């Protein structure tokens, strides 16, 4: 058998796998390698936090993992689907059905109500609406009064909750969230983080969450420390103190 023709396979039990993932912006002297030959094994059923300094490439990383952006080189698997090998149309299909994304800037459609924003992934992917699930998300996130409002009529925290509901409405296997609690108060973020952790444990969902908040990170089963486009270490079963110590230890990097 000729090994060079065998298609690579992701390890069983991984929700997300990356090998040699690299993304550079710009060219020449102005170029920035935002993600630099990253290998990742994100197990299924675990809440993973990604922490690191501003500009270290966290947003770029989660966009690549979700198939929202293409790497210059390297590969990503969602479960056993090698999404970097897919054409755009197939990629959109896989992404719509099995990946939920919470954007750093929410990315809600301004002309649509919160309800329509939340339901949009179902429409786009031909998935049947489950009103009981919608109700339970609305309850958990406390956005019942916002459903008929448009994003510009809501606060940042309310928009963030709507964006979280939109990411969860399809019950995706994998949720990628870029600072999902950045605009929420302590109580609201604790509630959402508990829910995310619970759905990882009980439903085998996998969540990868970028955060700046050591308390938020302490809800995770594992924290990845990211610096200069690379994984610089990880902390298992983190406490807020362990996370702070890990951030302090990031070699030569300022927080
Ligand atoms: P983080 O989320 O950790 O703050 P980002 O992934 O947003 O980091 O950015 C990593 C690096 O890539 C930064 O130096 C940033 O300026 C650069 N960068 C990000 N997006 C772009 C882009 N679209 N064009 C050019 N440079 C970018
Ligand atoms: Mg970012």
């Amino acid at each position: 058998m000729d090994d060079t023709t065998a298609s690579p396979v992701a390890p069983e039990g991984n929700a997300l796998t990356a090998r040699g993932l690299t993304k550079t912006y710009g060219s020449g002297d102005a170029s920035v390698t935002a993600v630099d030959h990253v290998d990742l094994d994100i197990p299924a059923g675990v809440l993973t936090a990604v922490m690191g300094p501003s500009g270290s490439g966290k947003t770029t990383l989660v966009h690549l993992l979700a198939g929202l952006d293409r790497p210059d080189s390297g590969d990503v698997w969602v479960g056993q689907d090698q999404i970097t090998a897919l054409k755009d149309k197939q990629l959109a299909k896989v992404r719509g059905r099995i990946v939920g994304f919470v954007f750093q800037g929410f990315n809600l459609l301004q002309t649509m109500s919160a309800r329509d924003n939340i339901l949009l992934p179902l429409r786009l992917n031909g998935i049947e609406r489950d009103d009981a699930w919608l109700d339970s998300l609305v309850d958990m996130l406390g956005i019942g009064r916002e459903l008929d409002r448009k994003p510009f009529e809501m606060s940042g925290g309310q928009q963030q909750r709507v964006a979280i509901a939109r990411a969860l409405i399809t019950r995706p296997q994998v949720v990628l969230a870029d600072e999902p609690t950045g605009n929420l108060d302590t109580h609201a973020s604790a509630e959402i983080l508990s829910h995310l952790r619970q759905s990882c444990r009980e439903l085998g969902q996998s969540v990868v969450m970028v955060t700046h908040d050591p308390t938020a990170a302490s809800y995770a089963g594992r924290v990845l420390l990211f610096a200069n486009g690379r994984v610089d270490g990880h902390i298992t079963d983190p406490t807020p103190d362990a996370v702070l110590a890990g951030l302090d230890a990031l070699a030569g990097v300022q927080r």
Side-chain angles (χ1 to χ4, degrees), residues 34 42 49 57 61 83-84 118 121 150-151 173 182 186 191 201 236 254:
I42 306 274
L61 176 71
I83 61 167
T84 39
I118 295 168
K150 293 191 173 151
Q173 277 165 41
T186 314
E191 198 173 344
R201 282 185 185 154
T236 305
Q254 288 186 324

Side-chain angles (χ1 to χ4, degrees), residues 172-195:
Q173 277 165 41
V174 174
V175 178
L176 292 140
D178 199 356
E179 314 235 9
T181 59
N183 286 272
L184 302 179
D185 61 44
T186 314
H187 177 75
S189 60
E191 198 173 344
I192 288 164
L193 291 164
S194 308
H195 171 82

Side-chain angles (χ1 to χ4, degrees), residues 56-94:
S56 59
K58 304 178 300 293
T59 291
T60 306
L61 176 71
V62 287
H63 282 208
L64 293 173
L65 293 175
L68 290 165
D69 201 357
R70 298 269 189 186
D72 299 325
S73 57
D75 285 294
V76 174
W77 290 257
V78 178
Q80 295 296 311
D81 289 316
Q82 187 180 358
I83 61 167
T84 39
L86 299 177
K87 300 236 165 64
D88 287 352
K89 215 169 158 183
Q90 292 170 297
L91 174 61
K93 215 179 249 178
V94 169

